[in-house]
């Protein structure tokens, strides 16, 4: 069982921190290469924020968009794409952004403080929430008029819930925290069945109105299976995000 799922979001606030993704993911086979950007288009943005600017990538689409996505990453020192410095490149956030871009949805990926091209240190959960709101404002300015879907992975699920604003939908990937901390919003929850979790909490979440809960066979905490991002995860997220939006 991933230890982070036992940590409640209320405890995070008391401690002033975000839970570490403490179980290192199993590396993909050596022959597996990170996802290539290929023809996908992303543009570097610098987002103003209270504690200093945030570096981000906007995955643009050619047509006007009615929905756009901002991604809050987990607590390990991932960069915006899901890679660790000097380690295996998993690129799980990049793969998700490209899948959504292919479906006609613009996506903003941003570096948390001290990762990628964003300087500074994370000041616990409050600081991460402030940065998430700044990233959202950056996305809103770049894609005016679009409704926002927040995607939070692992500890980023707590950030996404705390940064949530009325009218937004939520996607929580391998979430940690307590079901009571989820806002009342249309929400998709995706958990890898190889990740473990808390069955009682998952059952409560699955039964709650407005929540769609999906378990991905063989997928780990990164929603990866067999050395690649699970296609079931990508299909579920794309389907949920594009409801009511052009493809």
């Amino acid at each position: 069982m991933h230890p982070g799922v036992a940590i409640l979001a209320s405890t995070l606030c008391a401690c002033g921190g975000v839970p570490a993704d403490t179980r290192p993911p199993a590396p993909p086979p050596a022959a597996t290469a990170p996802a290539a950007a290929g023809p996908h288009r992303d543009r570097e943005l610098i987002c103003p924020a209270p504690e200093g600017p945030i570096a981000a990538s906007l995955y643009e689409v050619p047509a006007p968009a009615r929905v756009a996505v901002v991604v809050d990453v987990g607590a390990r020192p991932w960069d915006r794409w899901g890679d660790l410095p000097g380690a295996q490149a998993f690129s799980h956030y990049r793969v998700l952004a490209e899948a959504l871009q292919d479906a006609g949805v613009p996506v903003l990926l941003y570096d948390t403080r001290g990762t990628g091209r964003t300087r500074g240190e994370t000041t616990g959960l409050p600081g991460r929430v402030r940065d998430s709101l700044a990233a959202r404002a950056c996305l809103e300015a770049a894609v005016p008029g679009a409704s926002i879907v927040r995607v939070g992975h692992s500890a980023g699920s707590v950030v996404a819930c705390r940064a949530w604003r009325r009218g937004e939908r939520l996607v929580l990937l391998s979430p940690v925290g307590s079901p009571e901390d989820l806002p009342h919003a249309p929400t998709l929850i995706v958990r890898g069945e190889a990740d473990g979790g808390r069955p009682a909490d998952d059952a409560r979440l699955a039964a709650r109105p407005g929540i769609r809960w999906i378990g991905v066979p063989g997928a780990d905490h990164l929603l990866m299976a067999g050395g690649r991002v699970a296609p079931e995860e990508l299909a579920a997220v794309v389907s949920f995000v594009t409801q009511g939006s052009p493809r």
Side-chain angles (χ1 to χ4, degrees):
M1 179 185 297
H2 190 278
V5 293
I7 303 175
L8 302 183
S10 56
T11 305
L12 298 180
C13 275
C15 297
V18 175
D21 300 329
T22 51
R23 187 178 79 181
T32 302
H40 295 92
R41 305 159 302 282
D42 65 279
R43 174 165 62 94
E44 183 88 359
L45 295 180
I46 301 298
C47 303
E51 276 114 45
I54 300 168
S57 289
L58 176 65
Y59 285 74
E60 298 178 291
V61 298
R66 288 166 48 193
V67 62
V69 167
V70 59
V71 178
D72 297 310
V73 307
R76 297 189 76 198
W78 307 111
D79 63 18
R80 71 190 86 164
W81 296 291
D83 300 333
L84 295 170
Q88 171 70 47
F90 292 96
S91 300
H92 45 294
Y93 303 127
R94 183 200 305 270
V95 173
L96 177 61
E98 291 178 351
L100 286 164
Q101 185 186 48
D102 286 343
V105 178
V107 180
L108 186 79
L109 302 180
Y110 69 96
D111 292 325
T112 56
R113 300 209 171 269
T115 72
R117 297 171 191 158
T118 298
R119 297 184 178 181
E121 296 181 2
T122 300
T123 54
L125 180 59
R128 282 211 57 184
V129 170
R130 286 191 293 271
D131 284 348
S132 179
L133 291 171
R136 183 210 192 281
C138 200
L139 175 62
E140 195 172 34
V143 192
S147 63
I148 303 298
V149 179
R150 285 192 166 277
V151 175
H153 170 244
S154 189
S157 67
V158 180
V159 177
C161 288
R162 293 299 176 90
W164 174 84
R165 294 296 180 264
R166 188 176 300 277
E168 296 176 349
R169 288 183 287 151
L170 283 170
V171 176
L172 306 180
L173 308 175
S174 306
V176 303
S178 169
E180 287 75 18
D181 291 302
L182 265 67
H184 291 284
T187 302
L188 170 68
I189 295 176
V190 186
R191 190 186 297 285
E193 293 182 358
D195 182 41
R198 299 175 67 185
D201 279 351
D202 285 345
R204 289 164 62 201
L205 288 169
R208 197 168 129 179
I211 290 181
R212 182 183 178 197
W213 189 96
I214 294 176
V216 180
D220 59 17
H221 193 64
L222 301 185
L223 277 304
M224 298 184 74
R228 63 177 184 146
V229 176
E232 298 94 333
E233 178 219 351
L234 299 177
V237 175
V238 168
S239 175
F240 179 84
V241 170
T242 57
Q243 289 176 10
S245 67
R247 287 183 177 270

